[in-house]
Amino acid sequence: MVKNILSNIYENFEKYFCALIMSVMVICLGAQVFFRFVLDAALTWSEELSRFAFVWVIYLGASMAAMERVHIRVTVPQLLLPSQYRHYATMFADFIWLLFNLFFAYQGILQVKHMFTYTFMSPAMEWNTAFIYLIIPIGFLLMSFRIVQGYWRDYKKGGIQAMGVDLFSLERTIREEAKK
């Protein structure tokens, strides 16, 4: 049972955390609206907390999209290739994406390190903004992990030939299912 719970958290971490942060954001914005229009007073912290929550949701949502392989892709160059090579073009594009993520994770780590050294406090809540910026390396590392995880699952299913998503056959399958 504990293994199932941990497996569920491992597979759905981003979904649970995004739901929690979105709830915080909606409650804060709702409270701000109530205080501003009903009580004619403003909360100083709710807008700032909502903004920070929104940034965290964006990065965690990007990781979730990487896990489910639903990121926006430019597929026109792949369509110009013969169908037997499209699979490899997708893998190459994902490899470039992985390098991009790792580069920005590294830059994010440097930024956060700098912000811990030279602290800057948020105006309303007086939080060290290094903790807010921590989502940058976390988000890019999570995206990288989920990309590699997807390829590992593909490899376990059918070896090297099964690695990567053949987006074009996936698109055909979706169209065929929609016709039924």
Side-chain angles (χ1 to χ4, degrees):
M1 178 165 156
V2 172
K3 186 177 180 181
N4 289 339
I5 292 170
L6 291 176
S7 175
N8 190 21
I9 291 171
Y10 173 74
E11 291 297 324
N12 298 301
F13 168 76
E14 291 94 338
K15 289 179 187 176
Y16 294 147
F17 207 61
C18 277
L20 175 69
I21 295 173
M22 285 289 284
S23 300
V24 167
M25 190 171 69
V26 168
I27 289 168
C28 285
L29 290 174
Q32 176 69 357
V33 168
F34 176 77
F35 272 79
R36 184 168 291 186
F37 293 108
V38 175
L39 302 179
D40 202 28
L43 298 173
T44 58
W45 54 269
S46 67
E47 184 182 336
E48 191 171 274
L49 181 59
S50 296
R51 192 176 328 118
F52 295 157
F54 185 65
V55 171
W56 274 68
V57 164
I58 289 169
Y59 280 97
L60 290 173
S63 173
M64 190 167 55
M67 177 178 65
E68 296 177 5
R69 294 182 168 160
V70 292
H71 267 279
I72 297 172
R73 294 180 180 265
V74 177
T75 57
V76 172
Q78 293 169 328
L79 289 172
L80 299 174
L81 294 172
S83 60
Q84 69 263 25
Y85 298 117
R86 291 178 186 166
H87 170 79
Y88 297 108
T90 301
M91 289 176 62
F92 178 72
D94 284 346
F95 179 72
I96 298 297
W97 180 24
L98 184 64
L99 292 177
F100 173 86
N101 287 345
L102 294 175
F103 173 77
F104 275 96
Y106 174 73
Q107 292 299 318
I109 289 168
L110 294 179
Q111 177 71 21
V112 169
K113 235 170 107 175
H114 177 77
M115 294 185 82
F116 273 119
T117 305
Y118 304 101
T119 58
F120 177 75
M121 306 304 274
S122 66
M125 296 188 308
E126 297 182 3
W127 284 1
N128 184 345
T129 54
F131 291 109
I132 308 306
Y133 279 77
L134 201 56
I135 190 58
I136 296 171
I138 290 172
F140 281 108
L141 288 172
L142 268 173
M143 273 190 279
S144 301
F145 172 73
R146 294 303 188 177
I147 293 167
V148 171
Q149 181 187 38
Y151 276 97
W152 176 250
R153 285 183 180 153
D154 292 346
Y155 179 76
K156 285 188 345 188
K157 285 180 190 171
I160 292 176
Q161 295 303 318
M163 290 176 66
V165 176
D166 182 2
L167 300 172
F168 307 100
S169 64
L170 180 64
E171 184 180 337
R172 274 192 303 275
T173 305
I174 292 170
R175 285 183 186 164
E176 289 170 5
E177 290 295 320
K179 288 179 183 177
K180 292 180 182 178

